[in-house]
Amino acid sequence: MVLTRSGGDVFELLEHASSDTKNFFKTAQLLTFGHNPFDEDVFLMEVTPALADQFLSNPLFNAEIKSKDGNDDENPAFFCTETSTHRLLETETSDILLPVPGLKIPDEAEDGYWLTEKPSVSNRIVTAMKSFYIEPTSVRAPSLYTLKQRLIPANFAGHIEDEDQDISAFDNFITLDDLRKSVPCSEFELLYAVDRLNVFIWKGQCRMFQLDYLTNVLQSIFDMADELSIDWLHDGFSNPKDIILRLRDLYPAAVLCQVFQRFFFRKRPFRNNIAAIFPRKAKICRLIGENLLSITKKFALPDFISVWCASVPRGMQPRLNRDLISSGRAYTEISSLTQQKSITYLPSEDLPDESVDVRLKSLFERQPHWPQSQLAGYVADLVVDVPIKEPCCRRLSITSDCELDILSDSEDEDEQNAIADEFEDIEKVALDNPTPIPAVIGSVLNHRCRVTTSADAIESMDYVPEHLGRQISAHISSDLLNNKPIPLNPYISLFSPIYGDLFLSSFRLRACSDFTSWIEAFSLCNSLSTLNLDSCNLGVNYSDVLPWIARIKGLKFLSLRANNLTNDHITSVSAKWRFKGLGEDCKLAVVDVSSNHYLGERALKKLTSVSSLQMIYLSDTGLALSTSALPLGWEKRTDRERLVPRFPGPSGWLWEDFGAMRFPLEEDLDSPQYECPFVVFRLRT
């Protein structure tokens, strides 16, 4: 006997309910179980609200479930939309899930279904009873490493070489439709991977074009533009089909059309209503840089920059970090023996990509320390929330590989910054700052990597906030105080350009075992404006560092009191400041050489010839007793009112955390008693 419950039974039961039912709707839904609620072929999948909206409101929405190589039994399943990929995981729940199609849920919106005046009952069928459901987890797909390994047999060295290839090799090639079926990912992600790996269509099959071949094709295009006097930088290519026709004897039209599609874009009409074709400059610079690195794998960085800048088409500006380092194409390192910087070719698709942890392990096996900006470039293609750039290729299934179909686009920031400025040094500009790290990647790296505060392991302090830079500097200064071997040159050259006066403005140095290293390091600092080297015995022990003092570009106030300096020493220290051209950047305004008893008129002549100097303190020197005339435009004072210059006191993180404890101030030197006070100053004109 089958027990059933009618609508009348439902409302009768409500009359006996212990709770107040006066405000209940007069509409009831009667649930009945279907004929096979335990059907194993029925699955429940959880979807996000955004995905649910796509299902319900977009009639063109398309999604499918895929597995690797089309094998549904052994490989995991993936739910692929047009732009995203989700791995499907079976999740068990302690509750029983009842899918009920058409079940109404009351909400705040007025619905006529609930507003009926007469009692009514609707039948709803429970189609299944489940204790588990399918949970989609967002993933980055496809695996660039796996896809590249699969396409290596389809390497394309050139159309001429391809004609000589054994015909049996063509059996290993696959079409784009084959990739769609066998690679579980969205259409958008597949096109991005095809673009990233330089996969082109040749005779209906996917071929991975080699870097040197693509570079030669692009070079031929720009050579032809020069031959035709095309100002492509400003006017673009108004008729790319003409270029293709003229190059038909060198390269097939199928190759040229696809190269134009990948490396050029159609800018919106702005002149004569003609939409001209412009090169994707940053992408072309990246390709040429990769090609150069792929030949030797490792390059001395200065040599590479020179060759790279000379190899790109005239008018393009390559940038090291934007094009290669921050894009996961190469990395830089410093030799522990020569301290020379080199660059090594390592595209991210050659690294394992099972997970971020596996990739990081592979990277740290290569070298123990990595700048965060370089790591970010290598893990970006594994982090789900990092947006994927729009691929530069059409859906090739609907476009012939011989059809010139170029995307309409506008320049992004990378392209705008890829134009060379004729007034700037292209090689200098190529050494750009690291690109900002997206917050999501920074969070991933912070959870998996330990930040080091060792000066020789830090490559850049760009984008590091002041409070964090202050902490890192204090940690390094602590190591210096504990006599740990900290390389001073990298330390000061890293912090000074970023934090300026905050890091180092004024310093007081005394004789010490690493005195020469300090002076050499200071020569790399542009923010040091005041330097006190009193009583260091420079003339006897450190005369070789005097020329280095002149290299401190931002120096305004210099104190060299009581250092046993002679005329020759003054000649040495002032040489760079005195020569026109070399001393153009000199900012030195005041120098104190008092208590150097061997100075004479030759020293005075050398110092007064420094065009930036305004005042020279010469008390208790041979000059203080001299009666010779001063150079034109200079006056002297011998009273005691201005014996000692009022230099700014030592300041900056380096002084506060290290100098104040290592080189404490001596009060007696701040108020010396001179027998023969003598000051010369330049008259105002």
Side-chain angles (χ1 to χ4, degrees):
M1 178 179 178
V2 179
L3 298 177
T4 61
R5 181 173 291 162
S6 66
D9 295 335
V10 173
F11 288 105
E12 184 178 351
L13 286 173
L14 286 176
E15 294 177 0
H16 299 282
S18 59
S19 59
D20 185 8
T21 61
K22 291 181 180 180
N23 295 325
F24 276 29
F25 290 115
K26 295 182 179 181
T27 301
Q29 298 177 89
L30 188 61
L31 303 184
T32 58
F33 288 92
H35 68 283
N36 187 13
F38 301 102
D39 189 351
E40 295 183 356
D41 292 331
V42 175
F43 296 90
L44 301 182
M45 186 175 76
E46 181 184 44
V47 296
T48 62
L51 194 57
D53 288 341
Q54 290 282 342
F55 273 116
L56 298 174
S57 61
N58 186 358
L60 300 178
F61 179 74
N62 183 36
E64 56 184 323
I65 295 177
K66 298 181 180 180
S67 61
K68 185 178 179 181
D69 297 325
N71 190 329
D72 298 332
D73 297 327
E74 299 180 1
N75 295 311
F78 295 86
F79 181 76
C80 305
T81 68
E82 292 184 351
T83 59
S84 61
T85 304
H86 310 265
R87 182 171 180 173
L88 300 181
L89 301 174
E90 189 175 83
T91 303
E92 190 172 0
T93 175
S94 59
D95 299 321
I96 298 298
L97 304 176
L98 304 177
V100 185
L103 182 68
K104 293 284 188 178
I105 305 295
D107 55 21
E108 295 180 0
E110 293 186 2
D111 190 335
Y113 177 83
W114 303 104
L115 301 180
T116 179
E117 293 294 333
K118 296 181 180 181
S120 64
V121 176
S122 300
N123 289 314
R124 302 287 184 247
I125 298 177
V126 179
T127 58
M129 296 177 63
K130 297 292 181 181
S131 60
F132 63 88
Y133 64 96
I134 303 299
E135 181 180 9
T137 303
S138 297
V139 295
R140 284 295 292 266
S143 163
L144 293 177
Y145 174 82
T146 303
L147 186 58
K148 182 176 181 178
Q149 297 304 310
R150 182 173 183 176
L151 291 172
I152 283 179
N155 263 336
F156 186 82
H159 58 282
I160 297 177
E161 291 82 353
D162 199 64
E163 292 176 357
D164 298 332
Q165 194 168 1
D166 185 357
I167 194 170
S168 62
F170 289 84
D171 296 336
N172 297 322
F173 302 157
I174 56 178
T175 66
L176 189 63
D177 285 335
D178 293 334
L179 282 182
R180 285 195 180 95
K181 296 174 183 177
S182 59
V183 178
C185 67
S186 67
E187 177 81 1
F188 182 84
E189 291 169 317
L190 180 60
L191 290 178
Y192 168 78
V194 165
D195 188 31
R196 173 72 177 257
L197 298 178
N198 294 316
V199 177
F200 291 75
I201 302 300
W202 175 250
K203 296 182 179 179
Q205 295 169 316
C206 293
R207 305 293 297 276
M208 195 158 58
F209 279 31
Q210 292 188 2
L211 296 171
D212 58 342
Y213 182 72
L214 288 174
T215 301
N216 291 335
V217 175
L218 285 167
Q219 186 62 54
S220 297
I221 291 175
F222 286 102
D223 287 345
M224 181 58 67
D226 291 341
E227 185 177 329
L228 298 175
S229 300
I230 297 176
D231 186 5
W232 55 264
L233 191 62
H234 299 97
D235 301 329
F237 293 81
S238 59
N239 188 8
K241 291 184 179 179
D242 180 57
I243 301 291
I244 294 174
L245 184 63
R246 291 174 181 272
L247 294 175
R248 65 184 183 277
D249 293 335
L250 292 177
Y251 301 101
V255 171
L256 291 167
C257 286
Q258 292 183 83
V259 168
F260 265 105
Q261 183 193 92
R262 298 286 184 91
F263 294 94
F264 293 78
F265 68 95
R266 189 183 303 278
K267 186 179 289 188
R268 296 184 180 93
F270 69 101
R271 186 181 301 171
N272 299 327
N273 203 30
I274 297 176
I277 305 303
F278 286 81
R280 297 182 182 273
K281 297 177 285 294
K283 188 172 184 179
I284 292 173
C285 289
R286 180 179 301 115
L287 176 79
I288 294 173
E290 285 190 70
N291 180 48
L292 292 173
L293 289 172
S294 67
I295 298 172
T296 61
K297 299 300 181 183
K298 193 170 186 176
F299 234 117
L301 185 60
D303 296 340
F304 169 72
I305 293 295
S306 298
V307 175
W308 189 23
C309 291
S311 301
V312 300
R314 181 176 51 84
M316 291 190 184
Q317 175 62 68
R319 294 180 185 268
L320 179 66
N321 282 287
R322 178 201 64 194
D323 298 337
L324 297 173
I325 303 301
S326 298
S327 301
R329 320 309 294 155
Y331 67 93
T332 58
E333 57 184 331
I334 299 177
S335 170
S336 58
L337 296 177
T338 64
Q339 295 299 308
Q340 297 297 314
K341 204 170 189 179
S342 62
I343 182 170
T344 301
Y345 184 52
L346 180 65
S348 61
E349 58 266 20
D350 288 349
L351 295 169
D353 56 4
E354 293 90 336
S355 66
V356 173
D357 292 325
V358 172
R359 174 158 296 182
L360 288 175
K361 180 181 178 182
S362 174
L363 290 169
F364 280 105
E365 286 175 351
R366 292 176 176 270
Q367 58 182 25
H369 303 289
W370 284 83
Q372 190 180 37
S373 59
Q374 294 193 25
L375 284 182
Y378 278 115
V379 302
D381 58 353
L382 301 180
V383 180
V384 174
D385 294 327
V386 176
I388 299 176
K389 287 188 176 182
E390 185 78 24
C392 300
C393 49
R394 293 284 191 186
R395 289 166 172 75
L396 299 178
S397 59
I398 60 174
T399 303
S400 169
D401 56 5
C402 292
E403 181 181 343
L404 184 58
D405 185 21
I406 299 175
L407 297 178
S408 178
D409 200 356
S410 59
E411 284 185 305
D412 57 21
E413 186 177 354
D414 283 353
E415 296 298 335
Q416 294 170 359
N417 292 334
I419 300 176
D421 189 332
E422 60 180 333
F423 299 107
E424 291 185 333
D425 184 347
I426 185 174
E427 294 186 18
K428 184 177 180 180
V429 176
L431 295 170
D432 59 334
N433 292 325
T435 57
I437 299 172
V440 62
I441 296 182
S443 177
V444 168
L445 294 177
N446 289 338
H447 279 86
R448 290 171 169 82
C449 303
R450 180 174 59 86
V451 178
T452 179
T453 54
S454 174
D456 58 344
I458 302 173
E459 185 163 305
S460 173
M461 294 298 294
D462 293 300
Y463 309 108
V464 177
E466 288 180 7
H467 70 279
L468 184 56
R470 179 73 171 86
Q471 294 177 23
I472 297 174
S473 176
H475 188 94
I476 297 175
S477 294
S478 176
D479 288 344
L480 284 171
L481 287 172
N482 292 324
N483 297 318
K484 291 186 178 180
I486 302 296
L488 297 176
N489 285 16
Y491 175 33
I492 291 179
S493 62
L494 278 172
F495 283 78
S496 176
I498 304 301
Y499 305 108
D501 294 347
L502 291 174
F503 171 69
L504 180 58
S505 175
S506 178
F507 201 86
R508 190 168 192 165
L509 184 64
R510 293 294 176 260
C512 56
S513 59
D514 51 357
F515 183 88
T516 300
S517 298
W518 277 104
I519 297 298
E520 291 180 1
F522 285 153
S523 70
L524 303 174
C525 177
N526 291 335
S527 62
L528 180 61
S529 61
T530 304
L531 181 60
N532 185 312
L533 299 176
D534 295 348
S535 301
C536 291
N537 206 9
L538 294 177
V540 177
N541 297 329
Y542 305 109
S543 59
D544 56 326
V545 306
L546 292 173
W548 287 89
I549 297 174
R551 298 184 184 184
I552 306 175
K553 292 183 179 180
L555 196 60
K556 297 179 181 178
F557 308 103
L558 175 63
S559 185
L560 299 173
R561 291 182 294 181
N563 272 296
N564 291 315
L565 298 178
T566 65
N567 292 333
D568 289 338
H569 294 140
I570 296 299
T571 300
S572 175
V573 74
S574 64
K576 187 176 186 298
W577 297 327
R578 288 183 283 109
F579 286 103
K580 187 176 181 180
L582 292 176
E584 287 179 352
D585 294 332
C586 179
K587 299 179 181 179
L588 188 65
V590 182
V591 64
D592 188 350
V593 291
S594 300
S595 297
N596 289 288
H597 307 297
Y598 307 111
L599 298 184
E601 294 183 11
R602 187 155 61 95
L604 178 62
K605 183 178 180 181
K606 299 297 183 183
L607 290 174
T608 53
S609 64
V610 178
S611 60
S612 63
L613 268 178
Q614 302 299 313
M615 188 169 291
I616 309 169
Y617 290 80
L618 297 154
S619 300
D620 284 3
T621 64
L623 286 163
L625 301 175
S626 174
T627 58
S628 61
L630 291 172
L632 185 64
W634 287 83
E635 288 289 343
K636 65 181 179 180
R637 295 187 63 162
T638 57
D639 55 16
R640 296 182 180 275
E641 295 178 4
R642 302 178 66 178
L643 291 178
V644 181
R646 295 184 177 88
F647 287 166
S651 63
W653 301 342
L654 184 60
W655 173 259
E656 295 168 7
D657 298 330
F658 172 77
M661 288 172 275
R662 180 77 177 274
F663 309 114
L665 302 178
E666 304 97 341
E667 295 297 332
D668 57 325
L669 285 178
D670 287 335
S671 55
Q673 299 297 318
Y674 293 123
E675 294 182 5
C676 301
F678 186 55
V679 180
V680 300
F681 59 93
R682 190 187 299 270
L683 295 174
R684 294 182 179 179
T685 56

